[in-house]
Each structure stands twice: as structure tokens, then as C-alpha cells.
């Protein structure tokens, strides 16, 4: 089985894109859409051409596009940060039955779908930038229009007590493309009871 640590290469690229996106997020709707489209194009090129892509060479030859929901600014939310007082190490189950360790950092609380939602923000054990968080979630589209094992967002704290979470930037883990990879599953706190019709859809061969 391929090491899940290869995923970190893709994640670091996504984090850099998210940082740039966050720092320049005060823009008009047209500029916002252009930035999301540019990020999607970058994702496509990585999956299609990069040597670290989760696709096999055979898959790459057949690969045509990634599938996304239409860009919807309503799915970019401003969440309140609620710190986890007694920060603990959380062992997330992986798709291959192993576990990976993260630090429980804070809850992000926001309004969406007519209700208040909460998601647990985790931090990699070796994350050097304490404003970067790993967010794995599943929702009512999981197992249907989107990957059953959930999707990821790389979030960066951009306020003293708040954080922007943009579901238009939700992406699939490597194991959605290739079962040879092991990926963390969302923690129980991050199983949303609403559909998140934003971000990446199922990979179709």
C-alpha cells in the first residue's frame, strides 16, 4: 500500500492556495468566482499531470475532468471559533483500518441550511503554522453525489475569534481516486445533517 504521507504534498499545495485565497478574499463576486475557477484548474492539472497524483498512469490517460458543483458564494461562511479547552490528541480512523493522530483545536460554528452547524477543526501533529487546520467532513450528499468517505477543506484562521470556511474549496481525498491510498475519515463531530452542494463531486473514471 502506498504511504498516506504522500498526501501531504498535495495538502501543502492546497494550503498555499488557501492562504493566498484567504488573504485576498475581500473582493467582488466576479473576482471571487475567477479565483475558485483558477483553483479548480490547478487541482485538475495536479491530478492529471503531477508525478505525485493519486491516479495511475492508465487512469491519467483516460482522465478528462474533475466534477464540481456550480460555484455558490452562499457556501462561503464566517464561523465562530470555539476553542477546545482541554486539547487532546484524536486518533482518526483511516480507510485502510489504521489510525492517524491529530490535535483537537477548536469548533467552528456557523449558520447554513437553516440551522446552526459545528465542525471540529483538527491540526496535524507536525503543523508548523498554528493558524492552519485540517477539516474533514461528510454531509447528506456523501455516498451519493460526493465521495462516501467525506471531503476535506484546508482552512486558515483569518480572524481573532473567527474563521472563513469555503465549501466551494472542498476536495476529495486521494482514496476517492485510488483505493491504494489510505485517508483519514471525518470525526463523528463532522457528520453534517445538511447537504453541502458545493465543492468537488465524485470522481468518475
Amino acid at each position: 500500500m502506498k504511504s498516506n504521507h504522500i498526501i501531504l504534498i498535495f495538502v501543502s499545495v492546497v494550503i498555499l492556495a488557501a492562504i493566498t485565497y484567504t488573504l485576498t478574499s475581500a473582493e467582488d463576486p466576479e473576482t471571487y468566482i475567477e479565483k475558485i475557477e483558477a483553483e479548480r484548474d490547478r487541482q485538475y492539472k495536479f491530478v492529471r499531470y503531477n508525478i505525485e497524483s493519486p491516479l495511475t498512469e492508465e487512469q491519467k490517460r483516460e482522465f478528462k475532468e474533475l466534477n464540481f458543483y456550480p460555484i455558490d458564494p452562499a457556501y462561503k461562511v464566517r464561523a465562530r471559533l470555539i476553542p477546545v479547552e482541554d486539547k487532546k490528541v484524536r486518533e482518526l480512523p483511516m480507510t485502510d483500518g489504521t489510525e492517524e493522530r491529530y490535535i483537537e483545536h477548536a469548533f467552528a460554528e456557523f449558520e447554513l441550511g437553516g440551522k446552526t452547524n459545528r465542525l471540529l477543526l483538527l491540526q496535524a501533529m507536525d503543523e508548523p503554522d498554528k493558524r492552519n487546520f485540517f477539516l474533514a467532513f461528510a454531509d447528506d450528499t456523501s455516498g451519493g453525489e460526493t465521495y462516501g468517505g467525506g471531503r476535506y477543506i484546508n482552512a486558515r484562521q483569518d480572524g481573532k475569534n473567527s474563521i472563513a470556511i469555503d465549501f466551494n474549496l472542498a476536495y476529495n481525498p486521494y482514496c476517492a481516486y485510488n483505493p491504494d491510498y489510505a485517508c483519514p475519515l471525518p470525526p463523528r463531530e463532522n457528520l453534517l445533517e445538511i447537504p453541502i452542494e458545493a465543492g468537488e463531486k465524485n470522481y468518475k473514471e
Side-chain angles (χ1 to χ4, degrees), residues 38 133 142 201:
F133 303 106
S142 302
K201 293 184 177 183

Side-chain angles (χ1 to χ4, degrees), residues 87-90 101-106 120-135 155 157:
K87 291 181 171 55
K88 298 178 180 178
V89 173
R90 170 67 67 93
R101 290 155 59 89
Y102 292 86
I103 298 172
E104 297 178 349
H105 186 274
L120 178 62
L121 298 175
L122 300 172
Q123 205 156 58
M125 298 291 291
D126 57 353
E127 173 58 64
D129 189 334
K130 300 309 178 184
R131 295 173 69 85
N132 288 337
F133 303 106
F134 172 63
L135 173 55
Q157 185 176 347

Side-chain angles (χ1 to χ4, degrees), residues 187-204:
R188 60 182 179 276
E189 294 91 338
N190 292 359
L191 306 181
L192 293 172
E193 296 179 351
I194 59 173
I196 300 295
E197 297 174 324
E200 189 172 358
K201 293 184 177 183
N202 266 323
Y203 163 66
K204 298 179 181 179

Side-chain angles (χ1 to χ4, degrees), residues 6-169:
I6 298 177
I7 300 172
L8 293 176
I9 297 172
F10 180 56
V11 170
S12 63
V13 173
V14 174
I15 288 174
L16 286 174
I19 291 172
T20 302
Y21 162 79
T22 298
L23 292 175
T24 58
S25 60
E27 65 236 352
D28 61 70
E30 185 176 342
T31 302
Y32 170 74
I33 290 173
E34 288 176 353
K35 288 197 172 184
I36 298 296
E37 288 176 342
E39 170 60 15
R40 291 180 174 185
D41 183 60
R42 186 206 62 76
Q43 285 180 258
Y44 165 77
K45 289 176 180 176
F46 180 92
V47 174
R48 174 66 178 83
Y49 300 110
N50 196 285
I51 192 173
E52 300 296 345
S53 166
L55 298 185
T56 64
E57 291 305 312
E58 182 179 356
Q59 284 178 303
K60 285 181 178 180
R61 286 192 291 271
E62 301 297 325
F63 182 69
K64 296 294 188 295
E65 63 181 3
L66 292 173
N67 298 303
F68 296 96
Y69 285 102
I71 299 169
D72 185 350
Y75 279 101
K76 181 183 179 184
V77 299
R78 171 61 57 179
R80 299 173 290 279
L81 280 177
I82 304 172
V84 173
E85 296 299 332
D86 184 19
K87 291 181 171 55
K88 298 178 180 178
V89 173
R90 170 67 67 93
E91 294 183 341
L92 285 190
M94 306 281 283
T95 51
D96 66 349
T98 61
E99 294 180 333
E100 191 163 89
R101 290 155 59 89
Y102 292 86
I103 298 172
E104 297 178 349
H105 186 274
F107 285 97
E109 189 174 85
F110 58 94
E111 311 301 321
L112 189 65
K115 62 180 297 184
T116 299
N117 306 276
R118 296 181 77 183
L119 293 172
L120 178 62
L121 298 175
L122 300 172
Q123 205 156 58
M125 298 291 291
D126 57 353
E127 173 58 64
D129 189 334
K130 300 309 178 184
R131 295 173 69 85
N132 288 337
F133 303 106
F134 172 63
L135 173 55
F137 73 95
D139 63 275
D140 277 358
T141 71
S142 302
E145 290 187 315
T146 65
Y147 179 57
R151 293 178 287 167
Y152 300 163
I153 293 175
N154 295 101
R156 179 174 173 80
Q157 185 176 347
D158 56 346
K160 184 178 180 180
N161 299 302
S162 66
I163 187 169
I165 296 177
D166 194 340
F167 290 101
N168 290 292
L169 295 175

